[in-house]
Amino acid sequence: DTDTGRIYMYEWGVGEDDSTYSSWSQCLVITSSDPGEGKRFGHRLEANDNGDILAVSSVAPGQAGKVEIFIRTSQSNDDSTNHSFALAQTLEGTSADGSSLNTQFGESLAMSKDGTTLIVGAPGSDKTDQPDAGAIYYYKWNADDSTNTYTLQQTINAPDGQTNMNFGSTLDINDSATRIVIGAERLSNNREMKFDSGETTFDLQDTTIVDTN
């Protein structure tokens, strides 16, 4: 099948004299739990700093898009070279009318340093009378302290009323997950919108909007 996609993991190896570094070596291949032609698994990916949570998106033309969450199942502290990851969950987004087609869910991803916060962009998400307005989804890891999965905490829709602005086309987040920056690549003004974090949600408090034209 064409455009199926997969993920390759490499490790930086120590040289033979145990004092110099040599090269990257492939140690693992990860495939989608639901592979298929044109699904483009591996379109975007994010991992936490210690490498035990991996988010991988599949975004294909004409399809909704999804993000698969893999967690490390092999030991991380025994110097083992036998690495393994297992699928923990699959995330999907929907538009305001409940449809999931062409939302481009997973077009952009951002993860906090510890992996407890995951932001997923869906720049093709529609609002009522506002096609391709875009949206982002804020997920929290293990929010109920009982399951090692992500739970949706908040959906942030495009703050401007223009159509086709693609809010969520790019994303970034600081290490402590208290501020996110969201791009809207097709807005008539080029803007960066900064959101501050409250105790449980992100809001427009202390927002900085920079126009470049």
Side-chain angles (χ1 to χ4, degrees), residues 18 27 32 54 83 86 110 132 158 172 177 194 199 201 206:
D18 204 28
C27 60
S32 172
L54 181 64
H83 303 288
D132 290 342
D172 204 358
K194 299 179 180 180
E199 290 186 3
T201 60
D206 190 32

Side-chain angles (χ1 to χ4, degrees), residues 46 108-110 119-121 136 168-173 180-183:
E46 284 284 334
S108 56
L109 297 173
I119 310 294
V120 180
I136 68 155
S169 54
T170 53
L171 286 170
D172 204 358
I173 189 170
I180 50 177
V181 183
I182 306 160

Side-chain angles (χ1 to χ4, degrees), residues 127 130 134 156-162 165 167 193 195 204 209:
K127 292 173 66 176
Q130 195 180 352
I156 300 177
N157 293 304
D160 290 290
Q162 296 187 22
M165 63 182 290
F167 179 75
M193 285 156 274
F195 291 77
L204 282 166
I209 299 179

Side-chain angles (χ1 to χ4, degrees), residues 5-108:
R6 60 174 51 174
I7 294 295
Y8 297 88
M9 184 175 293
Y10 285 74
E11 277 193 325
W12 185 247
V14 178
E16 292 182 0
D17 61 0
D18 204 28
S19 64
T20 58
Y21 290 95
S22 54
S23 62
W24 292 98
S25 299
Q26 183 182 325
C27 60
L28 185 66
V29 174
I30 299 175
T31 58
S32 172
S33 63
D34 183 27
E37 185 171 358
K39 291 190 175 181
R40 298 183 179 179
F41 175 77
H43 180 74
R44 297 285 185 268
L45 61 88
E46 284 284 334
N48 62 341
D49 264 20
N50 61 6
D52 55 15
I53 304 174
L54 181 64
V56 184
S57 71
S58 300
V59 178
Q63 298 185 20
K66 63 182 179 182
V67 177
E68 293 175 77
I69 307 300
F70 296 86
I71 57 174
R72 185 182 178 117
T73 55
S74 54
Q75 294 291 330
S76 60
N77 58 358
D78 62 357
D79 296 324
S80 171
T81 58
N82 296 319
H83 303 288
S84 60
F85 281 78
L87 180 72
Q89 68 182 132
T90 300
L91 306 174
E92 296 180 344
T94 59
S95 295
D97 62 0
S99 72
S100 59
L101 293 179
N102 300 310
T103 60
Q104 294 179 281
F105 182 82
E107 172 63 30
S108 56

Side-chain angles (χ1 to χ4, degrees), residues 138-175:
Y138 158 45
Y139 293 89
K140 192 73 175 175
W141 179 257
N142 203 19
D144 59 2
D145 295 323
S146 64
T147 57
N148 287 324
T149 56
Y150 284 106
T151 304
L152 181 64
Q153 303 294 300
Q154 184 181 8
T155 300
I156 300 177
N157 293 304
D160 290 290
Q162 296 187 22
T163 60
N164 303 312
M165 63 182 290
N166 287 161
F167 179 75
S169 54
T170 53
L171 286 170
D172 204 358
I173 189 170
N174 63 341
D175 286 351

